[in-house]
Amino acid sequence: MLTDKEKEDLKQSAKEVRKNIVKMVHNSKSGHPGGSLSGADILTVLYKKCLNIPSDWDKSADFETRDRFILSKGHASPLLYSILAMKGIISQEDLMTFRKINSKLQGHPAKHYLPGIETSTGSLGQGLSIGCGIALGLKLKNNPANVVVYTGDGELQEGSCWEAFMQAAHKNLNNLIAIIDRNRLQIDGCTENVMALDDLSAKLKAFNWGVIEIDGHDFDAIYNAVEIAKKCDKPCAIIANTTKGKGCSFMENQAGWHGKAPNDEQLEQALKELEG
């Protein structure tokens, strides 16, 4: 269980992550704020409390045994970049180059441009398969690292995800954790109208995965779920129920903010609300 002091620190860190997300997308006049904001609490807990990811990246003596994080929903790159800046792996100054010509902060994470990126992502439905391969490789090397794959719920409409769920269970990849951002919205609207996923928990259990369902904005719930998942004797999925656009009232639960930049007035309102 987290202490009150730890939760206050996480709250302040997540607030700064969200502020950076809206500033980055506003500055570049493009990007995906909705699904980035929904995951800020989850990734803040992961990178500050749960995962062994060195802030000096490949300069660390523990680099080979680091936990691996894969942002399968690569369009949420503003979230990952903000987290990497929070961790000190990249600089705060880098953030405002997001999506600019010749920037290392591509619209989707590109492995060869930045430290802290395990694999290039953005073509939806591939991250979990990559995670399976990495998890299997770690097991073959007796490497104790965990692999965490962060997916969107709309992404699970891709058939390749379910092949990966089968493969992970078949190979008993108990070093693999899938965190599903269950905000129930995608670019075309509600996931249940586009292609229904529920009962998602029952589906994953039928694929022989451990399943934990949580409030994806509750720091204790996030932390406890990840710590339980690490000890699971099978691959484990955490279904994190979140609010798309969390923290900005005019973005919350609005599919239109999947991939749209705020204007000057909206940025000002968003930063005021996040600060408050």
Side-chain angles (χ1 to χ4, degrees):
M1 190 69 70
L2 299 165
T3 66
D4 288 343
K5 183 178 179 181
E6 287 174 318
K7 283 185 279 191
E8 181 60 29
D9 175 66
L10 290 168
K11 178 182 176 181
Q12 293 303 317
S13 294
K15 179 175 73 174
E16 292 305 312
V17 166
R18 286 192 167 95
K19 287 164 66 177
N20 279 331
I21 288 168
V22 294
K23 286 191 286 187
M24 290 164 65
V25 177
H26 167 265
N27 186 58
S28 69
K29 296 183 171 55
S30 66
H32 297 79
S36 296
L37 292 166
S38 63
D41 299 317
I42 297 168
L43 264 68
T44 298
V45 175
L46 283 176
Y47 274 74
K48 296 204 80 167
K49 293 297 177 185
C50 298
L51 299 185
N52 170 31
I53 296 178
S55 57
D56 55 354
W57 197 236
D58 57 357
K59 308 296 189 298
S60 170
D62 299 325
F63 183 67
E64 289 305 318
T65 55
R66 74 194 180 282
D67 292 323
R68 273 66 165 177
F69 176 82
I70 298 171
L71 181 73
S72 189
K73 48 180 275 184
H75 56 275
S77 60
L79 168 59
L80 181 56
Y81 297 148
S82 297
I83 290 289
L84 293 180
M86 176 198 76
K87 186 75 175 178
I89 296 175
I90 65 174
S91 73
Q92 289 286 335
E93 290 73 24
D94 286 337
L95 296 181
M96 290 305 111
T97 71
F98 174 62
R99 280 183 174 244
K100 301 293 186 180
I101 293 175
N102 298 321
S103 171
K104 295 178 180 179
L105 277 67
Q106 299 280 299
H108 295 81
K111 174 181 173 63
H112 297 295
Y113 287 120
L114 275 182
I117 308 293
E118 292 290 351
T119 185
S120 302
T121 56
S123 184
L124 295 178
Q126 296 183 0
L128 195 59
S129 294
I130 295 169
C132 282
I134 294 174
L136 183 57
L138 291 171
K139 275 186 168 293
L140 291 172
K141 293 180 177 180
N142 294 314
N143 188 318
N146 294 293
V147 180
V148 176
V149 180
Y150 185 72
T151 77
D153 49 1
E155 180 178 7
L156 298 189
Q157 295 161 352
E158 300 277 1
S160 55
C161 293
W162 297 93
E163 293 180 57
F165 283 127
M166 281 193 290
Q167 172 76 349
H170 180 68
K171 294 293 186 181
N172 193 31
L173 300 179
N174 61 338
N175 56 343
L176 178 64
I177 301 169
I179 301 180
I180 300 163
D181 183 1
R182 188 71 169 116
N183 61 42
R184 295 181 175 269
L185 289 174
Q186 58 193 101
I187 193 168
D188 289 328
C190 176
T191 55
E192 303 313 286
N193 293 333
V194 176
M195 186 180 291
L197 291 163
D198 280 334
D199 185 346
L200 182 55
S201 178
K203 287 182 172 73
L204 293 168
K205 288 176 181 176
F207 276 68
N208 201 28
W209 276 58
V211 180
I212 306 168
E213 190 157 1
I214 63 168
D215 176 349
H217 302 302
D218 182 313
F219 295 125
D220 275 328
I222 298 163
Y223 175 79
N224 292 336
V226 176
E227 292 306 302
I228 291 169
K230 287 180 185 177
K231 300 177 179 67
C232 192
D233 61 359
K234 59 177 71 173
C236 190
I238 298 171
I239 302 173
N241 293 295
T242 64
T243 300
K244 194 154 190 165
K246 178 70 172 178
C248 302
S249 62
F250 58 93
M251 292 189 193
E252 288 188 354
N253 290 315
Q254 300 297 318
W257 285 100
H258 175 85
K260 183 173 70 172
N263 60 32
D264 292 349
E265 292 76 17
Q266 290 164 333
L267 173 67
E268 183 179 355
Q269 179 182 345
L271 293 176
K272 184 180 296 184
E273 291 180 359
L274 288 167
E275 190 57 50

